[in-house]
Amino acid sequence: MKFPKILLASLFIAPSLALAHGPTPLKFDMEVEVNGNPNEVWAAVKNLCNIKEWNESITECVATGEGLGAFRDYKLDNGEDLKEEVTKLQDDRKRLLTTLRVKEGRFIKDMPIRSMGTFLSVMESNGGSKVKIRGTAYAAFEGKSAPPDMSDEFCKAAVEALHTKTLNGLQAAFAK
Amino acid sequence: MGYKRLSQNNLILTLQASIKSVVLVLIFWVLAADAKTQNLAFITNQLADSVSVIDTSENAIIKTIKVGVKPAGVMASYDNKVVYISNPGNQEISIIDVATLEIIKRVTVGQAPLALALTHDNKTLFVADWYMSSVFAINTQTLEIEKQIKVGNAAAGLAVSKDDKTLFVVNEYDHSLMFIDIASYEIQSEIKVGKAPYGVTIDDDKQVLYVVNVESDDVSVVDIKSKKVINTFPVNTYPYITAIDKINNRLIVTNKRDSSVSVVDRDSYEEIKKIYVGEMPEGINIHPDGKHAYIANWFDGSVTILDINNLEVADTIETGEGSRAYGNFIVER
């Protein structure tokens, strides 16, 4: 049994997963009304790879595991691969928290964030459902003067655009 | 006869004593009314570039102060005269005068000043810089930087020992706690705590530190003398910092991504109750009245007032976007 040396070495020198903090978190607070009862919508929301059906920017998705600690690997239409872990799952409150951690030194194209934590929650509203995204993210750039395409504002717009597609797609899927 | 006289004398003495106590009570009452103390909570609103000042007797905001950019950390001086605010967005420490609620000085430091701590003689302010792996020691009289102390990666939390001899620094990305000698600014030792430690709180009575570990959802109890983790207790998702309720002998830990606080016994570390507060709570202080905890909710932009005796939410105040209040934020004036 021989491990390629380089692989073994990489086990030790591989950059650790970036941690979630930074000096200033970005905030995301969005919601849509969905035409479906909360239980059905919640069942759809917690099925991890359903986002591929809703979000037009996501071209592939593979889910691994179930419940807490499960994760989804997905590909964006710009070729970037992302991996999110289920870090909280509350059936009683119909809330799912997924966490994206980006390896140190990696900058996701068009969305250079270091980490992202996203709560998707479902609640009853006007006989249907309301789906909320309440999330945080940190820009990957470290230092006091970020270039425009690495700035907090740039990252905020990019993540917001991704979340908007998820929510709009979810709304459209239930409108049918 | 003799007995009767004694009894009369006693009566006179008792009367005199009663009059004295009434007079004393009156004097105290007049004094108290005259020098009515007011407790104020200074809440940093990171996404509004402001500080909300709450008068805790009415739980009303009496002033919103524009500070620097992205204010996060807060440290009230022990003499209740000033409040220091860290602004990582423009590398500024804003100094607020408690009497006038105006900014009296601005100091530029580092790249992203965040956590703050102060020696109990109010002479040295420590500022942890997120990007520079450093803690700056600032002389509060001259406002000059006396020393840049190289620490670990992502210095997230600071505390100072009661005798002002030791500075404790939490390095989030190194999962460690450092002990620094304040006289020499030398690192004495560094120990591993949990995963991604953040807030650190000193317990003077027990001579321990509570280091909250964001990624392992627990709290390391560190014995100051032996410099060892003597216990670890679980809390909930993404904990932030611990407050000590000395009267009820409990610890209260904010759980940012559970939108709750865990109330834990200070001796056994058993959870007594978990209470949902606002969304994504961060900073927490116990009010000097010993009856309430003030908790800043980052996502909601609000402050939850928790009754720490019955462990129910007593009130909620809207503050500003991104309330963090990371540090000691309640002062008396």
Side-chain angles (χ1 to χ4, degrees), chain B residues 177-228:
Chain B
L177 170 73
M178 277 176 174
F179 296 69
I180 294 173
D181 175 53
I182 291 179
S184 64
Y185 295 131
E186 296 284 333
I187 297 166
Q188 294 173 323
S189 53
E190 180 177 12
I191 62 165
K192 289 282 171 197
V193 285
K195 206 173 166 200
Y198 201 83
V200 54
T201 307
I202 185 164
D203 189 331
D204 294 319
D205 307 332
K206 289 174 165 276
Q207 283 299 298
V208 295
L209 299 165
Y210 305 109
V211 181
V212 165
N213 305 300
V214 174
E215 297 266 341
S216 46
D217 298 342
D218 55 18
V219 178
S220 303
V221 184
V222 178
D223 180 65
I224 293 174
K225 201 172 172 208
S226 67
K227 301 186 175 71
K228 285 200 166 75

Side-chain angles (χ1 to χ4, degrees), chain B residues 14 36 39 89 113 126 130 167 169 192 197 213 240 272:
Chain B
T14 314
K36 189 181 163 203
N39 285 295
F126 294 105
W130 191 264
L167 170 70
V169 182
K192 289 282 171 197
N213 305 300
Y240 194 79
I272 294 162

Side-chain angles (χ1 to χ4, degrees), chain B residues 177-313:
Chain B
L177 170 73
M178 277 176 174
F179 296 69
I180 294 173
D181 175 53
I182 291 179
S184 64
Y185 295 131
E186 296 284 333
I187 297 166
Q188 294 173 323
S189 53
E190 180 177 12
I191 62 165
K192 289 282 171 197
V193 285
K195 206 173 166 200
Y198 201 83
V200 54
T201 307
I202 185 164
D203 189 331
D204 294 319
D205 307 332
K206 289 174 165 276
Q207 283 299 298
V208 295
L209 299 165
Y210 305 109
V211 181
V212 165
N213 305 300
V214 174
E215 297 266 341
S216 46
D217 298 342
D218 55 18
V219 178
S220 303
V221 184
V222 178
D223 180 65
I224 293 174
K225 201 172 172 208
S226 67
K227 301 186 175 71
K228 285 200 166 75
V229 177
I230 54 167
N231 224 313
T232 302
F233 61 88
V235 280
N236 215 285
T237 319
Y238 271 63
Y240 194 79
I241 196 164
T242 308
I244 305 167
D245 168 7
K246 294 189 177 189
I247 292 172
N248 295 300
N249 200 36
R250 294 168 181 157
L251 305 174
I252 308 179
V253 183
T254 47
N255 301 306
K256 186 170 181 188
R257 291 195 180 168
D258 191 53
S259 297
S260 68
V261 295
S262 296
V263 182
V264 174
D265 185 275
R266 192 169 164 216
D267 294 321
S268 69
Y269 309 120
E270 297 283 332
E271 185 182 282
I272 294 162
K273 192 178 178 187
K274 191 182 86 168
I275 304 143
Y276 285 114
V277 290
E279 290 278 310
M280 304 199 195
E282 298 205 349
I284 175 169
N285 276 188
I286 304 292
H287 194 278
D289 69 5
K291 292 176 186 161
H292 299 96
Y294 281 64
I295 301 156
N297 304 304
W298 178 78
F299 194 91
D300 284 355
S302 68
V303 167
T304 296
I305 295 143
L306 181 75
D307 181 324
I308 58 176
N309 293 313
N310 69 13
L311 300 180
E312 304 279 349
V313 171

